[in-house]
C-alpha cells in the first residue's frame, strides 16, 4: 500500500452531483474539505483519502441525510471509474465483472482491498479497509461503494438483479431503514467487519448482453497502466503491466525487467516477495489471464494466441493452456462455442 492513500477523482464528482440533487452548491463544501472540484474533472485525478472522507462527512451534514452514501452511489457512472467502468460493461458475466473490480480495486482507492469467496450455490464479493485506514473510512464510503457495485450489476444484468443478502459495517440501524431496503431489495445485515454482497451462482454466471472480450482486454491494460503510474510502490502491478506490453516479443528475462524498472534484480525479487509474488509466477499469471481473454475472441487463431503470449511453439502453449484450464485450446473453444 502506498504511504498516502488516495481515492479516484470520480468519487468527488459523484459527491458533487449528490449535493446538487439536494439543491446544494458543491463548490463551497469542496473548499472546506480542501478539494479543488475543477481538478476532479481530470480522469487521472486522485485525492487523499482523508480529504474525501471529510467531503463525505460534510455532504452528510449539509444534506442532513444519514443515507448520503447511498445517494453518492447512485451518482457514480461507468466513466467515473476510469477504464474499469468499460471493462465491467464488456465482461462476460457478473462473476468476471466482480473479478475485475477485485483485481483493480486500487483504481477506486488504495486505502482498502476486496475479495471474492465462492460457495457451491453463491459467491460473496466483499471489501474492507486496511488497518491503518479503519479509523478514517466512514459508513458513507462503505455504503456508497456497495451501492455503486450493486447498481452496476443491476444495469449489466439482462433481467431483474437482486442480491441474496448484503452486509454493512454500520453498527446500528437507523430509525428509518427504507432507503437501504429500496436500494438493495434484500436482507441487510449490520455490524459486519466488512462490506459484502452475496449473489447466487446462476445469476453470477449468466452471459451478459454487453460482453465484448476484446474491448474488456484493452481496458484491462489501461487499468494496469494507470495503477502502475500512480502507485509506484505496487511493483507487482508494474511488472504485470510491462509483461502485457512485452510478451509478444518473447518472455522477458528478469534482468531485463529489473532494468526497465530501474532496480536491481535482487531488489525486484525482494519487492515481489514482500507482495507475496514471484517473477516466474507473474509471467504465468499474465499468460493465463491473456490466454483466457484471447481465447474468448473466436476470430483469433490459436497460433496467433500462442505468438502473442510469447511461446516459441504452439505445442508449448497447448500444454500450458491445458494446465490452466483442463482442456486443450481446441477443446476449450469447442466446448465454449457449444455453451454459447
Amino acid at each position: 500500500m502506498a504511504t498516502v492513500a488516495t481515492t479516484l477523482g470520480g468519487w468527488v464528482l459523484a459527491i458533487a452531483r449528490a449535493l446538487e440533487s439536494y439543491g446544494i452548491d458543491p463548490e463551497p463544501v469542496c473548499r472546506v474539505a480542501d478539494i479543488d472540484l475543477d481538478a476532479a474533472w481530470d480522469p487521472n485525478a486522485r485525492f487523499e483519502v482523508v480529504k474525501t472522507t471529510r467531503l463525505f462527512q460534510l455532504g452528510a451534514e449539509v444534506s442532513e441525510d444519514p443515507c448520503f452514501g447511498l445517494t453518492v452511489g447512485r451518482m457514480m457512472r461507468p466513466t467515473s471509474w476510469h477504464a474499469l467502468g468499460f471493462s465491467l460493461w464488456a465482461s462476460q458475466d457478473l462473476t468476471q465483472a466482480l473479478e475485475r473490480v477485485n483485481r483493480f480495486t486500487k483504481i477506486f482507492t488504495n486505502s482498502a482491498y476486496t475479495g471474492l469467496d465462492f460457495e457451491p450455490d453463491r459467491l460473496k464479493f466483499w471489501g474492507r479497509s486496511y488497518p491503518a485506514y479503519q479509523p478514517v473510512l466512514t459508513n458513507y464510503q462503505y455504503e456508497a461503494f456497495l451501492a455503486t457495485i450493486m447498481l452496476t450489476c443491476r444495469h449489466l444484468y439482462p433481467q431483474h438483479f437482486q442480491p441474496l443478502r448484503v452486509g454493512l459495517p454500520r453498527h446500528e440501524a437507523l430509525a428509518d431503514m427504507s432507503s437501504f431496503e429500496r436500494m438493495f431489495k434484500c436482507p441487510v445485515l449490520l455490524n459486519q467487519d466488512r462490506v459484502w454482497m452475496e449473489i447466487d451462482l446462476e445469476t453470477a454466471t449468466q452471459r451478459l448482453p454487453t460482453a465484448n472480450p476484446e474491448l474488456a482486454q484493452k481496458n484491462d491494460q489501461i487499468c494496469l497502466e494507470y495503477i502502475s503510474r500512480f502507485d509506484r510502490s505496487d511493483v507487482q502491478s508494474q511488472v504485470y503491466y510491462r509483461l502485457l506490453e512485452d510478451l509478444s516479443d518473447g518472455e522477458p528475462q528478469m534482468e531485463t525487467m529489473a532494468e526497465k524498472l530501474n532496480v536491481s534484480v535482487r531488489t525486484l525479487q525482494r519487492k515481489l516477495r514482500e507482495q507475496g509474488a514471484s517473477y516466474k509466477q507473474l509471467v504465468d499469471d499474465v499468460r493465463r489471464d491473456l490466454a483466457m481473454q484471447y481465447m474468448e475472441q473466436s476470430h483469433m487463431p490459436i497460433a496467433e494466441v500462442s505468438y502473442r503470449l510469447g511461446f516459441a511453439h504452439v505445442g508449448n502453449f497447448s500444454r500450458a493452456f491445458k494446465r490452466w484450464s483442463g482442456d486443450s485450446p481446441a477443446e476449450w473453444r469447442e466446448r465454449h462455442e457449444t455453451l454459447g
Side-chain angles (χ1 to χ4, degrees):
M1 187 175 61
T3 304
V4 177
T6 58
T7 297
L8 186 67
W11 284 111
V12 172
L13 296 179
I15 294 171
R17 284 191 287 264
L19 288 169
E20 289 172 345
S21 75
Y22 296 99
I24 299 168
D25 183 358
E27 287 275 4
V29 184
C30 288
R31 281 198 298 270
V32 173
D34 193 24
I35 285 178
D36 181 353
L37 182 55
D38 287 338
W41 289 98
D42 180 349
N44 295 303
R46 300 190 70 83
F47 298 90
E48 293 181 24
V49 167
V50 290
K51 293 183 179 181
T52 52
T53 292
R54 178 64 175 146
L55 186 57
F56 266 102
Q57 292 170 325
L58 289 168
E61 290 172 11
V62 298
S63 67
E64 298 181 344
D65 185 358
C67 303
F68 182 70
L70 298 183
T71 304
V72 174
R74 291 190 188 96
M75 300 299 169
M76 286 292 277
R77 304 288 185 266
T79 50
S80 304
W81 301 6
H82 205 269
L84 177 56
F86 299 101
S87 285
L88 299 188
W89 277 86
S91 294
Q92 196 81 1
D93 52 32
L94 291 182
T95 300
Q96 193 179 85
L98 292 173
E99 285 173 341
R100 284 191 160 97
V101 176
N102 182 42
R103 182 178 174 192
F104 301 124
T105 299
K106 284 187 175 182
I107 288 179
F108 286 109
T109 181
N110 51 1
S111 65
Y113 59 103
T114 58
L116 270 176
D117 297 334
F118 290 86
E119 297 180 16
D121 64 339
R122 65 188 63 191
L123 66 80
K124 176 187 280 189
F125 172 78
W126 55 265
R128 69 186 307 178
S129 64
Y130 287 106
Y133 289 95
Q134 286 176 2
V136 177
L137 299 183
T138 66
N139 287 330
Y140 308 120
Q141 285 146 297
Y142 292 125
E143 290 159 11
F145 176 68
L146 190 61
T148 195
I149 295 298
M150 195 282 301
L151 288 171
T152 297
C153 290
R154 190 166 288 165
H155 293 151
L156 290 174
Y157 194 63
Q159 302 167 28
H160 174 68
F161 173 78
Q162 182 175 327
L164 299 173
R165 300 185 304 169
V166 300
L168 299 170
R170 181 180 287 274
H171 292 306
E172 297 179 358
L174 299 171
D176 181 4
M177 291 292 289
S178 60
S179 293
F180 291 90
E181 294 163 4
R182 287 194 301 271
M183 171 62 72
F184 298 111
K185 304 184 188 306
C186 70
V188 179
L189 282 66
L190 302 181
N191 200 28
Q192 303 294 295
D193 67 346
R194 64 193 70 189
V195 61
W196 54 265
M197 174 175 67
E198 287 182 342
I199 307 172
D200 73 89
L201 278 183
E202 184 177 351
T203 297
T205 55
Q206 181 169 333
R207 184 180 175 86
L208 299 176
T210 53
N212 186 322
E214 188 171 3
L215 182 61
Q217 177 215 335
K218 296 295 184 184
N219 282 283
D220 283 353
Q221 292 184 20
I222 296 172
C223 289
L224 282 164
E225 191 273 336
Y226 173 66
I227 291 174
S228 69
R229 252 195 348 257
F230 84 79
D231 192 353
R232 294 296 179 183
S233 69
D234 189 350
V235 175
Q236 186 172 344
S237 290
Q238 291 184 54
V239 171
Y240 197 104
Y241 175 66
R242 294 282 187 175
L243 287 170
L244 284 176
E245 288 187 319
D246 298 342
L247 264 180
S248 61
D249 295 327
E251 180 182 331
Q253 297 301 308
M254 189 185 301
E255 292 78 8
T256 304
M257 182 62 66
E259 184 178 343
K260 287 190 173 187
L261 297 178
N262 295 313
V263 296
S264 67
V265 171
R266 181 171 295 183
T267 298
L268 177 58
Q269 290 175 319
R270 175 178 57 79
K271 289 188 173 184
L272 288 175
R273 190 165 55 247
E274 288 171 354
Q275 292 187 284
S278 71
Y279 186 73
K280 182 178 179 181
Q281 186 59 51
L282 277 176
V283 172
D284 196 62
D285 288 347
V286 172
R287 279 177 158 162
R288 181 198 62 222
D289 293 347
L290 283 178
M292 295 306 173
Q293 293 173 15
Y294 289 148
M295 289 294 289
E296 287 175 355
Q297 300 174 38
S298 56
H299 67 277
M300 189 179 294
I302 291 172
E304 184 177 346
V305 175
S306 174
Y307 166 77
R308 289 194 181 196
L309 298 179
F311 285 98
H313 303 286
V314 175
N316 295 340
F317 165 62
S318 296
R319 284 189 289 274
F321 191 84
K322 189 156 190 175
R323 173 168 56 83
W324 296 324
S325 69
D327 292 325
S328 71
E331 290 169 342
W332 190 93
R333 274 215 168 137
E334 183 179 357
R335 184 160 58 84
H336 280 72
E337 286 171 2
T338 302
L339 292 174

